[in-house]
Amino acid sequence: MDLESMKCWDTSKKDSWKTIMLLAYQSLGVVYGDLSISPLYVYTSTFADDIEHSETNEEIFGALSFVFWTLTLVPLFKYVFVVLRADDNGEGGTFALYSLICRHARVSLLPNRQHADEALSTYKMEESPEENTSRLKILLEKYKCLHTALLIVVLLGTCMVIGDGLLTPAISVFSAVSGLEVNIGQHHQYAVIPITCFILVCLFALQHYGTHRVGFLFAPIVLIWLLCISGLGLYNIFKWNRHVYKALSPYYMFKFLKKTKLSGWMSLGGILLCITGSEAMFADLGHFSYMAIQIAFTFLVYPALILAYMGQAAYLSQHHNSNLQISFYVSVPEGVRWPVLILAILASVVGSQAIISGTFSIINQSQSLGCFPRVKVVHTSEKIHGQVYIPEINWILMILCIAVTIGFRDTKHMGNASGLAVMTVMLVTTCLTSLVIILCWHKPPFIALCFLMFFGSIELLYFSASLTKFREGAWFPILLALILMITMFIWHYATIKKYEYDLHNKVSLEWLLALGPSLGIARVPGIGLVFTDLTTGIPANFSRFVTNLPAFHRILVFVCVKSVPVPHVTFAERYLVGRVGPAAHRSYRCIVRYGYRDVHQDVDSFESELVEKLADFIRYDWYRTRESNMSIDDDASNSNESSGYRLTVIGTTGFSNHPGYEIGESLQPASVSIEFPTVQSITDVIEMEPMGAAERRVRFAIDDDPDSDKRSEIGVQMQEEIEDLNAAQEAGIAFILGHSHVKAKQGSSLMKKLALNYGYNFLRRNCRGPDVALKVPPVSLLEVGMVYIL
């Protein structure tokens, strides 16, 4: 699936107001479901314990003032006007910010990096990293500990997003169902928990169907809900207190804190829940457009939420009954409470669905960057990119979500837990955006410092208030984040160490070329795909394979499936193909590149596409050799490099269907090949060196008459190689993967031994194997045991 089909909006029509308004409408169901249901529990959490609603109304007006300015400063000013502009090729979220930073500064800890990756069309930068000489960039690149610290910050944000994906469904559905307390009276305690758990079980049980079947209902539900709460807000304002707008003045915030003092500060942990879901505006940016999300929030969501909070405050300002339970439903007129209850439950399900889908997506991104144990990722929609389902994570989330609901049993504790998770994610986004302002936008550090200090101070105020609730629910996201961070860091650390081991233990090209009948090595029919993380050299698992089984396939392909720090890699740029040794050896290297938001292909399509790309490369390589011999390109004929030392981008244009091709350095969607030198030696090389030669473009035509090729020696050799490839494909394809066991070397520290010998091996045994992650059929799998002494 190419990039164009992945987009939910056509870039050629993005300036059309009709298209923008349609996208703004569709964004309601995906982006704003969580944010729109926050009025259900904000005042309930705020007045749960720390402060009381008094006759003077200073508390309720102060809370309203805090809600108004928080919604104005954080979602509107920070996200809509600043953070949404920090997109990575239209994608948003924590990993998008990290990807941007890694492209503009050498701070990535990803292995097998190549200069060829920088030629990707989605690897765009305002200027070359070498031209950016800011002090911050130099400092970040100089110290590797800062690389690790940056990754830890990103992982912390990721863990809290996962925690939010667990807590949001619980508090949303529970708050919606708690309306039964007002409707059915004293027997509500016997109904709220069971009904909430039943809805949550149904919600998670239906995840494997995907949201595309019922997604068309999400936007209307949220739209009706927003109109409903804004209408209720206007009704309460005009009926109970028309002067409630005065409470929007910042003066009421200071008055609130002056009266309530420490307890008022602690109650901010409930007020911050009014901005839960704000991060979704940025995280889901890739499905819509900046303008659509901006319009939907500024002109519909924001006014509706302000009216809802003002309406509740107006009602409460005239009701001071000590027995009154402060909740959303007490301000709803009795005649419409049941319809509003049903609509609230539907809206909470939509909001929960959005955050659950976002959790699957960010775990998939973490896995792509080697920061999460391998899990099975199912793409639930062929038409809509990014809709994924992860079975293991889904059932774990369901169990924990039900446990939280039964364990906490009230909005107060759930709100404390959810608030801490939300505010941590926002702090991480603020810190990363500050780096983007300097490194990517090339703004003065003073501007980034102002952004960090202004928004960071607001978020730290709320974060500190949430921490005071540690024993009242806030401990849960901290414990969950700690477990997840340890898991993710151990997996990432072991992945990097395994790559370094492979890099230092790869074997030479001469060893591969020496294998033959004289050494008792046989070549059997078929194609052998040797999977490795290395982009250069012969992996050690292949030498172990040949040592134990003195035979390998007639067509040998060393396949490296790698992720690059971009959201998407177009299909035309996905495959890098080159030779390993001379043409007669029939050995190749294929590097398959994916972005962190790409979904890997099914094995059937991968097999056929790989063979097709190999055939295209063979044609290109032999025709290049012919043109070189005929001195059509003097630069190519004077080059001392052989084709075995080049990697070529094989695009979507087939050689058999077109009479002529452009070959050059510019990467266009229809380009056939771009050449980059690679290294086939035993030296420890992580990155490919850039080409020293100037750019060159060669155009040649392919003769439609096959007999003219066969009359030449080159044409005959090309035909023989393609026939060998086709015959090998018919004989069958075998997938050769390493089955690793990791041990810490003698003399390692206790922490390293615990992390590798116990932590990583436990995760490896209990998560999906590489064959499942690569979707390899068991009948075609050959596993090679490897012991890594790290």
Side-chain angles (χ1 to χ4, degrees), residues 508-582:
S508 66
L509 177 62
E510 288 73 18
W511 174 86
L512 176 66
L513 299 179
L515 297 177
S518 59
L519 297 178
I521 305 296
R523 301 290 293 268
V524 298
I527 300 177
L529 304 182
V530 182
F531 283 83
T532 174
D533 290 330
L534 298 178
T535 57
T536 63
I538 311 302
N541 64 343
F542 179 71
S543 64
R544 186 175 180 84
F545 171 77
V546 174
T547 302
N548 289 274
L549 183 66
F552 60 95
H553 296 83
R554 185 71 185 92
I555 303 294
L556 189 64
V557 186
F558 295 98
V559 181
C560 173
V561 180
K562 57 177 282 190
S563 294
V564 290
V566 295
H568 306 289
V569 176
T570 61
F571 185 76
E573 300 172 308
R574 178 155 294 162
Y575 290 88
L576 267 171
V577 185
R579 293 193 187 277
V580 179

Side-chain angles (χ1 to χ4, degrees), residues 462-524:
Y462 285 117
F463 182 77
S464 61
S466 296
L467 280 179
T468 62
K469 307 290 186 178
F470 180 83
R471 300 175 68 179
E472 299 173 9
W475 59 268
F476 182 79
I478 295 176
L479 177 62
L480 182 65
L482 182 63
I483 295 172
L484 285 171
M485 280 200 67
I486 291 174
T487 300
M488 295 169 75
F489 197 78
I490 287 176
W491 188 267
H492 182 76
Y493 174 77
T495 300
I496 295 296
K497 288 299 180 183
K498 284 175 61 180
Y499 175 78
E500 292 175 354
Y501 180 91
D502 285 336
L503 193 64
H504 287 80
N505 290 275
K506 61 184 179 181
V507 296
S508 66
L509 177 62
E510 288 73 18
W511 174 86
L512 176 66
L513 299 179
L515 297 177
S518 59
L519 297 178
I521 305 296
R523 301 290 293 268
V524 298

Side-chain angles (χ1 to χ4, degrees), residues 162-218:
I162 297 173
D164 192 25
L166 162 64
L167 293 165
T168 294
I171 188 173
S172 300
V173 177
F174 182 86
S175 299
V177 177
S178 63
L180 293 172
E181 177 182 352
V182 178
N183 286 8
I184 65 176
Q186 60 181 353
H187 300 291
H188 73 277
Q189 65 267 27
Y190 302 110
V192 173
I193 298 296
I195 293 175
T196 301
C197 291
F198 175 75
I199 293 174
L200 290 173
V201 169
C202 293
L203 178 63
F204 284 100
L206 296 175
Q207 288 299 311
H208 70 281
Y209 291 109
T211 60
H212 62 285
R213 300 179 190 275
V214 293
F216 68 94
L217 294 174
F218 288 177

Side-chain angles (χ1 to χ4, degrees), residues 626-638:
R626 186 187 71 174
E627 296 297 311
S628 177
N629 292 341
M630 295 173 62
S631 300
I632 291 181
D633 185 349
D634 293 335
D635 291 336
S637 62
N638 293 332

Side-chain angles (χ1 to χ4, degrees), residues 493-722:
Y493 174 77
T495 300
I496 295 296
K497 288 299 180 183
K498 284 175 61 180
Y499 175 78
E500 292 175 354
Y501 180 91
D502 285 336
L503 193 64
H504 287 80
N505 290 275
K506 61 184 179 181
V507 296
S508 66
L509 177 62
E510 288 73 18
W511 174 86
L512 176 66
L513 299 179
L515 297 177
S518 59
L519 297 178
I521 305 296
R523 301 290 293 268
V524 298
I527 300 177
L529 304 182
V530 182
F531 283 83
T532 174
D533 290 330
L534 298 178
T535 57
T536 63
I538 311 302
N541 64 343
F542 179 71
S543 64
R544 186 175 180 84
F545 171 77
V546 174
T547 302
N548 289 274
L549 183 66
F552 60 95
H553 296 83
R554 185 71 185 92
I555 303 294
L556 189 64
V557 186
F558 295 98
V559 181
C560 173
V561 180
K562 57 177 282 190
S563 294
V564 290
V566 295
H568 306 289
V569 176
T570 61
F571 185 76
E573 300 172 308
R574 178 155 294 162
Y575 290 88
L576 267 171
V577 185
R579 293 193 187 277
V580 179
H585 199 269
R586 302 293 194 262
S587 297
Y588 310 90
R589 182 179 306 282
C590 181
I591 299 173
V592 188
R593 301 177 293 185
Y594 288 95
Y596 57 81
R597 287 187 69 93
D598 285 332
V599 178
H600 291 207
Q601 303 155 276
D602 291 330
V603 68
D604 293 335
S605 61
F606 174 73
E607 288 180 12
S608 58
E609 286 168 6
L610 180 61
V611 173
E612 180 184 341
K613 301 308 173 189
L614 287 173
D616 284 345
F617 168 76
I618 291 169
R619 294 188 185 98
Y620 161 70
D621 191 58
W622 281 111
Y623 278 109
R624 183 183 61 183
T625 303
R626 186 187 71 174
E627 296 297 311
S628 177
N629 292 341
M630 295 173 62
S631 300
I632 291 181
D633 185 349
D634 293 335
D635 291 336
S637 62
N638 293 332
S639 175
N640 293 323
E641 293 181 276
S642 69
S643 62
Y645 289 77
R646 294 180 184 271
L647 284 177
T648 304
V649 176
I650 302 297
T652 55
T653 305
F655 276 77
S656 59
N657 298 326
H658 296 267
Y661 304 91
E662 285 287 341
I663 299 165
E665 287 295 333
S666 62
L667 277 172
Q668 302 297 331
S671 64
V672 175
S673 56
I674 312 300
E675 298 173 1
F676 296 95
T678 184
V679 179
Q680 303 286 355
S681 65
I682 59 172
T683 56
D684 298 335
V685 178
I686 297 179
E687 296 188 45
M688 290 186 177
E689 296 298 327
M691 287 187 66
E695 293 185 3
R696 62 180 183 272
R697 301 183 68 85
V698 183
R699 182 172 180 85
F700 58 88
I702 298 176
D703 198 334
D704 291 331
D705 183 8
D707 294 335
S708 61
D709 284 335
K710 293 181 180 179
R711 284 195 296 267
S712 67
E713 182 181 353
I714 292 177
V716 171
Q717 291 175 342
M718 180 191 74
Q719 204 67 27
E720 288 179 353
E721 189 170 359
I722 292 177

Side-chain angles (χ1 to χ4, degrees), residues 41 44-50 171 174-175 269-270 273 408-419 469 471-474:
Y41 45 78
T44 305
S45 299
T46 302
F47 291 91
D49 239 359
D50 303 304
I171 188 173
F174 182 86
S175 299
L273 294 175
F408 287 153
R409 287 177 173 268
D410 62 15
T411 307
K412 170 190 167 184
H413 288 82
M414 294 182 196
N416 293 337
S418 180
K469 307 290 186 178
R471 300 175 68 179
E472 299 173 9

